[in-house]
Amino acid sequence: MKHRKQVLGLLLASAALLAGCGSQGQEQSQEKSSQASSQSQKKKSTSSRAISKSAASSSTSAASSATSSGKSASSRASSKSAPSSTASRMSSLTAQLRTQLPGMLLPTVDGLGQGSENLNARWTSSASQNVVYYSVGNSPLPLNASQVAKEKPYAVLTENKNVTDASSLINYQEPKSGLPTVKLDGQVTGTEEGAAGSTYLQFNQGQWSFVVRASQVQGQEALPTAKALLKLYQQYGLPASGSNASVQVDVGESLGSLNTVITWSKGSSVYQMKAHSTETAFKMLNSLQ
């Protein structure tokens, strides 16, 4: 009997021990599960923050790109608007000249290929004559500023008022015959003659006479300039004149040389444009108002 009680006691002790071990295992398992769940939540939180940061970065990048695009578009718009600023320089000077010289025909185009932003002008006036000088300086200056008088004009427009005999100011040349002829294009023929070390090539179109002078001493040729002159006339035309009118061009262009002289009449006035560039003169006269 005593032996049985000992055996039963041992069995009860073993069962208790096993129960304790099982409870401890469950607690460890639960702890591990809790730790795994916590780590999983941390990973999810970290992933969420990463996604949030990525979205914010993308938003910032998009905003930066939009800002950059806006600046680029603004830059392009500014670049495109540049020509209007140079045009407004001529418009401003012309508007001021109209108040000082009412009734005088004035160009609305400066005729320049470059330097329009530094266009300057000055004028003089008397009972018999108005004169406007156009020049390009280092900076834009007020109309009739004293410094403008020191600049070499690239064009000079003169109005001679109340003229009784326009022919005395217009050096019109009647068509010549009996001289060697020169073909300028398919329909226009000119004449050529030499005198006093120069060659003169002349052609006529309507009421206009055109004379090109080339220096034989300097080895100049009149024909290339005459052909270019005819093309400019065909492209831009010339002002309507109340009488015969003239164009005279000396071969060779240089700043301040004013080698192109165009003279015509309107009403009781005789106008004359002098310019260092023949093309510039035609462009300006084409815009007269």
Side-chain angles (χ1 to χ4, degrees):
M1 178 65 72
K2 185 178 181 180
H3 178 68
R4 286 181 180 179
K5 288 182 178 180
Q6 291 176 345
V7 171
L8 181 60
L10 289 172
L11 289 173
L12 290 172
S14 297
L17 180 62
L18 289 173
C21 290
S23 176
Q24 185 178 0
Q26 287 179 352
E27 290 177 356
Q28 291 176 348
S29 175
Q30 289 176 354
E31 183 178 354
K32 289 181 179 178
S33 175
S34 177
Q35 291 176 350
S37 176
S38 177
Q39 290 178 352
S40 175
Q41 289 178 354
K42 287 182 179 180
K43 288 182 178 179
K44 288 182 179 178
S45 177
T46 301
S47 175
S48 177
R49 287 196 299 271
I51 292 173
S52 177
K53 287 182 179 179
S54 175
S57 177
S58 297
S59 176
T60 301
S61 176
S64 176
S65 176
T67 301
S68 177
S69 297
K71 288 181 179 179
S72 177
S74 176
S75 177
R76 289 194 298 270
S78 176
S79 175
K80 288 182 179 179
S81 67
S84 64
S85 65
T86 59
S88 65
R89 176 66 181 161
M90 182 63 174
S91 299
S92 174
L93 290 172
T94 301
Q96 294 175 66
L97 285 167
R98 290 198 192 286
T99 64
Q100 301 296 330
L101 306 171
M104 181 179 180
L105 291 174
L106 295 169
T108 56
V109 170
D110 61 32
L112 295 170
Q114 59 183 4
S116 296
E117 67 278 6
N118 292 327
L119 175 69
N120 290 317
R122 63 184 181 92
W123 60 274
T124 62
S125 181
S126 67
S128 61
Q129 193 178 74
N130 295 327
V131 186
V132 180
Y133 303 84
Y134 295 91
S135 60
V136 174
N138 295 321
S139 62
L141 298 171
L143 179 67
N144 259 28
S146 58
Q147 300 95 311
V148 179
K150 300 176 183 178
E151 298 173 354
K152 288 185 177 181
Y154 70 86
V156 179
L157 179 62
T158 301
E159 178 192 17
N160 295 286
K161 298 179 287 185
N162 303 315
V163 177
T164 56
D165 181 14
S167 62
S168 63
L169 297 175
I170 300 174
N171 190 22
Y172 174 78
Q173 300 293 311
E174 293 286 350
K176 292 182 172 58
S177 59
L179 295 173
T181 59
V182 180
K183 200 77 170 177
L184 298 178
D185 67 8
Q187 298 180 333
V188 180
T189 299
T191 58
E192 193 173 47
E193 64 178 326
S198 296
T199 299
Y200 295 86
L201 195 159
Q202 176 184 333
F203 63 95
N204 291 61
Q205 293 286 285
Q207 63 187 148
W208 287 86
S209 68
F210 300 80
V211 177
V212 176
R213 186 187 74 84
S215 171
Q216 296 174 349
V217 177
Q218 297 180 30
Q220 297 174 341
E221 294 183 3
L223 183 58
T225 300
K227 287 183 176 181
L229 177 58
L230 176 60
K231 287 183 179 180
L232 288 172
Y233 171 69
Q234 293 170 341
Q235 180 178 356
Y236 294 103
L238 285 168
S241 180
S243 62
N244 289 332
S246 68
V247 178
Q248 296 174 286
V249 178
D250 284 354
V251 175
E253 296 178 356
S254 60
L255 182 61
S257 61
L258 305 179
N259 283 344
T260 295
V261 181
I262 301 174
T263 314
W264 74 101
S265 67
K266 181 176 177 60
S268 61
S269 294
V270 172
Y271 284 86
Q272 185 176 82
M273 167 68 80
K274 292 183 178 181
H276 84 276
S277 164
T278 306
E279 183 173 4
T280 294
F282 272 82
K283 287 180 178 179
M284 294 180 76
L285 294 182
N286 182 255
S287 70
L288 278 181
Q289 290 181 10

